[in-house]
Amino acid sequence: MPNNIKVVIAGPRGRMGREAVKMVTDHDGMQLVSVIDYKNVGQSLDQVEGFGYLPESISIYNDLDICFNETSPDVLIDLTTPETGYRHTKTALLNNVRPVVGTTGFTSSQLDELTNLAEERNIGVIIAPNFAIGAVLMMKFSQMAAKYFEDVEIIEMHHDQKLDAPSGTAIKTAQMIRENRTSKKQGHPAEEETLEGARGADLDGIKIHSVRLPGLIAHQQVLFGSGGQLLTIRHDSNDRASFMSGVSICVETVMNLNTLVYGLENILD
Ligand SMILES: NC(=O)c1ccc[n+]([C@@H]2O[C@H](COP(=O)([O-])OP(=O)(O)OC[C@H]3O[C@@H](n4cnc5c(N)ncnc54)[C@H](O)[C@@H]3O)[C@@H](O)[C@H]2O)c1
Ligand SMILES: O=C(O)C1=N[C@H](C(=O)O)CCC1
């Protein structure tokens, strides 16, 4: 692993992007070489509002091919939107740049396509729906509990600027639970929704409910019920700094991978 990993960040002005710019510029083993944005192209990031603290100029690009060619990054951190993040990840792979993707909302066929492309190109990619270590533990504990409780519902709660629903974390949690759960149609066999959507989204019988409110950041509870008992496993991110140690681990780890890894739990000890 190079001790100075050259990083490009897509979405630097976003809520997560701003934290990631701080994390990378403060990290001794990483160097921020450029950023990707559709605004302020050709300017330097330290001239953009909120980035005056940067000690040196960081070029802003919109065209990924030109950015990769001129600044030779090792790793792309993508924190944008589902459509853009997917396009960026593909372009990075085609340019031998290793993507660390926090962007959520990719479809399963997009994930399959990126998995195949990473294998073809023999390049590492990490797609992590949640970089917070506590959230990963919540998912793992839920997977453990699913062996003993077959009735489970997920309630995820996020800020009201979030584009995708359900959250990437809720989908990943349900997929992990599914691996340990005896398949079951929950609720009353004759239950009917008198208001569409009342019972939430359904992933193989696991119900997912999405709450969007100002004041929230990222929260999830997984409820398991059986005769006479309820188990609640809950995680709260109250600050986006909670995601940054996970981003840092992914940037270091992706340098040694040559396939796509989906989920931070797959690279933690
Ligand atoms: N994996 C995790 O732990 C984690 C945590 C928080 C958020 N997220 C995900 O990260 C993504 C970003 O979240 P956010 O809250 O920072 O969103 P945000 O809306 O604050 O930021 C997104 C940024 O992407 C930029 N963008 C959009 N299109 C672009 C393009 N074509 N080129 C360059 N930049 C572009 C926007 O200008 C914006 O600044 C979302 O998908 C969210 O679900 C993941
Ligand atoms: O703020 C968001 O958007 C978040 N998205 C991720 C998800 O979809 O699971 C993780 C938590 C924050």
Side-chain angles (χ1 to χ4, degrees):
M1 181 178 75
N3 60 10
N4 207 358
I5 304 172
K6 291 162 88 181
V7 177
V8 53
I9 296 177
R13 286 178 302 108
R15 290 172 287 262
M16 282 290 281
R18 284 179 188 273
E19 286 293 333
V21 167
K22 258 190 252 148
M23 187 281 286
V24 171
T25 50
D26 285 350
H27 197 295
D28 286 342
M30 297 179 198
Q31 184 193 355
L32 184 66
V33 293
S34 46
V35 294
I36 293 162
D37 202 339
Y38 54 80
K39 254 183 143 179
N40 311 306
V41 178
Q43 295 179 31
S44 173
L45 189 60
D46 61 308
Q47 303 301 313
V48 175
E49 199 188 332
F51 292 100
Y53 69 90
L54 288 172
E56 55 186 11
S57 81
I58 308 284
S59 298
I60 303 173
Y61 293 84
N62 192 15
D63 185 310
L64 271 73
D65 293 299
I66 298 175
C67 171
F68 295 159
N69 198 24
E70 291 187 358
T71 66
S72 311
D74 301 303
V75 174
L76 162 75
I77 300 177
D78 193 274
L79 298 161
T80 59
T81 60
E83 202 188 310
T84 301
Y86 171 66
R87 182 167 48 78
H88 284 175
T89 306
K90 251 175 112 167
T91 310
L93 284 172
L94 293 171
N95 282 276
N96 299 325
V97 176
R98 296 159 186 274
V100 167
V101 182
T103 306
T104 51
F106 291 3
T107 63
S108 15
S109 68
Q110 287 176 330
L111 286 172
D112 288 345
E113 201 187 321
L114 294 171
T115 304
N116 293 337
L117 186 57
E119 199 167 313
E120 256 170 52
R121 306 285 304 173
N122 199 32
I123 287 197
V125 187
I126 300 176
I127 299 183
N130 203 311
F131 289 118
I133 308 298
V136 173
L137 290 173
M138 167 194 61
M139 291 187 243
K140 290 191 85 145
F141 295 156
S142 301
Q143 189 176 37
M144 282 168 68
K147 197 171 157 198
Y148 306 98
F149 292 85
E150 55 194 24
D151 287 82
V152 53
E153 306 221 355
I154 298 172
I155 306 174
E156 57 95 340
M157 293 157 280
H158 282 82
H159 58 92
D160 65 346
Q161 297 306 299
K162 185 163 177 58
L163 293 179
D164 52 317
S167 71
T169 308
I171 293 173
K172 188 74 167 86
T173 308
Q175 290 168 338
M176 287 171 67
I177 287 173
R178 178 173 59 182
E179 286 173 23
N180 270 3
R181 172 178 173 266
T182 310
S183 188
K184 173 174 184 186
K185 186 188 178 306
Q186 294 179 186
H188 195 285
E191 91 178 359
E192 268 178 37
E193 287 183 337
T194 53
L195 207 52
E196 197 186 322
R199 291 289 289 120
D202 190 301
L203 194 150
D204 281 351
I206 303 168
K207 297 292 183 188
I208 305 177
H209 310 271
S210 297
V211 177
R212 297 289 176 266
L213 284 174
L216 293 170
I217 294 191
H219 318 260
Q220 178 170 292
Q221 55 188 50
V222 185
L223 290 92
F224 293 92
S226 80
Q229 59 179 325
L230 181 73
L231 170 66
T232 304
I233 303 173
R234 177 172 174 128
H235 177 260
D236 296 273
S237 272
N238 297 316
D239 189 311
R240 289 181 178 84
S242 63
F243 301 116
M244 290 305 130
S245 58
V247 178
S248 163
I249 292 169
C250 288
V251 170
E252 286 165 353
T253 307
V254 79
M255 294 301 296
N256 298 316
L257 295 176
N258 60 1
T259 54
L260 184 146
V261 171
Y262 171 48
L264 184 58
E265 70 282 359
N266 295 309
I267 60 165
L268 294 178
D269 291 337

mmCIF file of all heavy atoms in Angstrom, residues 44-61:
data_model
loop_
_atom_site.group_PDB
_atom_site.id
_atom_site.type_symbol
_atom_site.label_atom_id
_atom_site.label_comp_id
_atom_site.label_asym_id
_atom_site.label_seq_id
_atom_site.Cartn_x
_atom_site.Cartn_y
_atom_site.Cartn_z
ATOM 1 N N SER A 44 -10.093 26.646 -8.040
ATOM 2 C CA SER A 44 -9.477 25.838 -6.990
ATOM 3 C C SER A 44 -10.452 25.751 -5.812
ATOM 4 O O SER A 44 -11.149 26.720 -5.487
ATOM 5 C CB SER A 44 -8.176 26.495 -6.545
ATOM 6 O OG SER A 44 -7.688 25.782 -5.433
ATOM 7 N N LEU A 45 -10.507 24.596 -5.171
ATOM 8 C CA LEU A 45 -11.487 24.373 -4.096
ATOM 9 C C LEU A 45 -11.315 25.353 -2.935
ATOM 10 O O LEU A 45 -12.287 25.732 -2.286
ATOM 11 C CB LEU A 45 -11.368 22.913 -3.599
ATOM 12 C CG LEU A 45 -12.440 22.432 -2.633
ATOM 13 C CD1 LEU A 45 -13.841 22.499 -3.252
ATOM 14 C CD2 LEU A 45 -12.158 21.006 -2.151
ATOM 15 N N ASP A 46 -10.079 25.788 -2.663
ATOM 16 C CA ASP A 46 -9.878 26.701 -1.533
ATOM 17 C C ASP A 46 -10.525 28.066 -1.755
ATOM 18 O O ASP A 46 -10.671 28.856 -0.810
ATOM 19 C CB ASP A 46 -8.383 26.840 -1.178
ATOM 20 C CG ASP A 46 -7.580 27.408 -2.322
ATOM 21 O OD1 ASP A 46 -7.685 26.876 -3.443
ATOM 22 O OD2 ASP A 46 -6.862 28.402 -2.109
ATOM 23 N N GLN A 47 -10.954 28.335 -3.012
ATOM 24 C CA GLN A 47 -11.654 29.598 -3.300
ATOM 25 C C GLN A 47 -13.167 29.469 -3.088
ATOM 26 O O GLN A 47 -13.900 30.442 -3.136
ATOM 27 C CB GLN A 47 -11.429 30.012 -4.773
ATOM 28 C CG GLN A 47 -9.965 30.172 -5.173
ATOM 29 C CD GLN A 47 -9.264 31.208 -4.321
ATOM 30 O OE1 GLN A 47 -9.794 32.295 -4.114
ATOM 31 N NE2 GLN A 47 -8.098 30.868 -3.791
ATOM 32 N N VAL A 48 -13.631 28.239 -2.874
ATOM 33 C CA VAL A 48 -15.068 27.992 -2.735
ATOM 34 C C VAL A 48 -15.467 28.166 -1.268
ATOM 35 O O VAL A 48 -14.715 27.790 -0.351
ATOM 36 C CB VAL A 48 -15.408 26.551 -3.224
ATOM 37 C CG1 VAL A 48 -16.871 26.218 -2.988
ATOM 38 C CG2 VAL A 48 -15.040 26.398 -4.700
ATOM 39 N N GLU A 49 -16.679 28.723 -1.065
ATOM 40 C CA GLU A 49 -17.158 29.003 0.296
ATOM 41 C C GLU A 49 -17.064 27.773 1.203
ATOM 42 O O GLU A 49 -17.499 26.674 0.830
ATOM 43 C CB GLU A 49 -18.617 29.458 0.220
ATOM 44 C CG GLU A 49 -19.046 30.186 1.467
ATOM 45 C CD GLU A 49 -20.546 30.453 1.452
ATOM 46 O OE1 GLU A 49 -21.130 30.572 0.369
ATOM 47 O OE2 GLU A 49 -21.100 30.527 2.564
ATOM 48 N N GLY A 50 -16.448 27.974 2.360
ATOM 49 C CA GLY A 50 -16.342 26.885 3.338
ATOM 50 C C GLY A 50 -15.049 26.091 3.238
ATOM 51 O O GLY A 50 -14.765 25.239 4.079
ATOM 52 N N PHE A 51 -14.235 26.377 2.182
ATOM 53 C CA PHE A 51 -12.997 25.604 2.018
ATOM 54 C C PHE A 51 -11.751 26.483 2.153
ATOM 55 O O PHE A 51 -10.658 26.076 1.771
ATOM 56 C CB PHE A 51 -12.984 24.899 0.653
ATOM 57 C CG PHE A 51 -14.022 23.802 0.553
ATOM 58 C CD1 PHE A 51 -15.229 24.030 -0.093
ATOM 59 C CD2 PHE A 51 -13.791 22.558 1.124
ATOM 60 C CE1 PHE A 51 -16.187 23.025 -0.182
ATOM 61 C CE2 PHE A 51 -14.748 21.541 1.036
ATOM 62 C CZ PHE A 51 -15.947 21.784 0.382
ATOM 63 N N GLY A 52 -11.926 27.667 2.715
ATOM 64 C CA GLY A 52 -10.809 28.611 2.876
ATOM 65 C C GLY A 52 -9.708 28.035 3.757
ATOM 66 O O GLY A 52 -8.574 28.511 3.731
ATOM 67 N N TYR A 53 -10.022 27.018 4.538
ATOM 68 C CA TYR A 53 -9.025 26.430 5.447
ATOM 69 C C TYR A 53 -7.986 25.574 4.702
ATOM 70 O O TYR A 53 -6.956 25.207 5.274
ATOM 71 C CB TYR A 53 -9.726 25.555 6.509
ATOM 72 C CG TYR A 53 -10.348 24.290 5.958
ATOM 73 C CD1 TYR A 53 -9.609 23.097 5.884
ATOM 74 C CD2 TYR A 53 -11.671 24.264 5.502
ATOM 75 C CE1 TYR A 53 -10.179 21.932 5.381
ATOM 76 C CE2 TYR A 53 -12.233 23.113 4.996
ATOM 77 C CZ TYR A 53 -11.485 21.950 4.939
ATOM 78 O OH TYR A 53 -12.048 20.805 4.437
ATOM 79 N N LEU A 54 -8.263 25.242 3.429
ATOM 80 C CA LEU A 54 -7.345 24.343 2.714
ATOM 81 C C LEU A 54 -6.002 25.032 2.492
ATOM 82 O O LEU A 54 -5.953 26.178 2.041
ATOM 83 C CB LEU A 54 -7.952 23.921 1.361
ATOM 84 C CG LEU A 54 -9.131 22.947 1.462
ATOM 85 C CD1 LEU A 54 -9.777 22.751 0.091
ATOM 86 C CD2 LEU A 54 -8.693 21.606 2.045
ATOM 87 N N PRO A 55 -4.903 24.320 2.776
ATOM 88 C CA PRO A 55 -3.587 24.970 2.700
ATOM 89 C C PRO A 55 -3.067 25.110 1.287
ATOM 90 O O PRO A 55 -2.092 25.822 1.051
ATOM 91 C CB PRO A 55 -2.690 24.020 3.502
ATOM 92 C CG PRO A 55 -3.360 22.687 3.431
ATOM 93 C CD PRO A 55 -4.827 22.935 3.265
ATOM 94 N N GLU A 56 -3.655 24.395 0.333
ATOM 95 C CA GLU A 56 -3.129 24.481 -1.038
ATOM 96 C C GLU A 56 -4.270 24.418 -2.044
ATOM 97 O O GLU A 56 -5.403 24.090 -1.679
ATOM 98 C CB GLU A 56 -2.129 23.347 -1.298
ATOM 99 C CG GLU A 56 -2.731 21.995 -1.023
ATOM 100 C CD GLU A 56 -1.722 20.855 -1.122
ATOM 101 O OE1 GLU A 56 -0.524 21.131 -1.207
ATOM 102 O OE2 GLU A 56 -2.171 19.701 -1.131
ATOM 103 N N SER A 57 -3.947 24.701 -3.293
ATOM 104 C CA SER A 57 -5.023 24.709 -4.286
ATOM 105 C C SER A 57 -5.317 23.281 -4.756
ATOM 106 O O SER A 57 -4.413 22.460 -4.917
ATOM 107 C CB SER A 57 -4.669 25.642 -5.439
ATOM 108 O OG SER A 57 -3.812 25.000 -6.316
ATOM 109 N N ILE A 58 -6.618 23.022 -4.917
ATOM 110 C CA ILE A 58 -7.092 21.693 -5.348
ATOM 111 C C ILE A 58 -7.985 21.955 -6.563
ATOM 112 O O ILE A 58 -9.025 22.613 -6.435
ATOM 113 C CB ILE A 58 -7.954 21.010 -4.247
ATOM 114 C CG1 ILE A 58 -7.252 20.970 -2.888
ATOM 115 C CG2 ILE A 58 -8.464 19.647 -4.706
ATOM 116 C CD1 ILE A 58 -6.174 19.949 -2.748
ATOM 117 N N SER A 59 -7.602 21.446 -7.719
ATOM 118 C CA SER A 59 -8.369 21.743 -8.942
ATOM 119 C C SER A 59 -9.725 21.052 -8.965
ATOM 120 O O SER A 59 -9.859 19.906 -8.536
ATOM 121 C CB SER A 59 -7.590 21.314 -10.177
ATOM 122 O OG SER A 59 -6.407 22.039 -10.235
ATOM 123 N N ILE A 60 -10.710 21.803 -9.500
ATOM 124 C CA ILE A 60 -12.080 21.281 -9.625
ATOM 125 C C ILE A 60 -12.321 20.895 -11.089
ATOM 126 O O ILE A 60 -12.146 21.721 -11.988
ATOM 127 C CB ILE A 60 -13.116 22.343 -9.188
ATOM 128 C CG1 ILE A 60 -12.820 22.802 -7.750
ATOM 129 C CG2 ILE A 60 -14.542 21.803 -9.320
ATOM 130 C CD1 ILE A 60 -13.672 23.969 -7.281
ATOM 131 N N TYR A 61 -12.717 19.658 -11.279
ATOM 132 C CA TYR A 61 -12.999 19.137 -12.628
ATOM 133 C C TYR A 61 -14.448 18.693 -12.715
ATOM 134 O O TYR A 61 -15.045 18.302 -11.717
ATOM 135 C CB TYR A 61 -12.134 17.903 -12.926
ATOM 136 C CG TYR A 61 -10.665 18.172 -13.044
ATOM 137 C CD1 TYR A 61 -9.854 18.221 -11.903
ATOM 138 C CD2 TYR A 61 -10.069 18.349 -14.288
ATOM 139 C CE1 TYR A 61 -8.489 18.446 -12.004
ATOM 140 C CE2 TYR A 61 -8.702 18.575 -14.401
ATOM 141 C CZ TYR A 61 -7.916 18.620 -13.254
ATOM 142 O OH TYR A 61 -6.572 18.842 -13.369
#
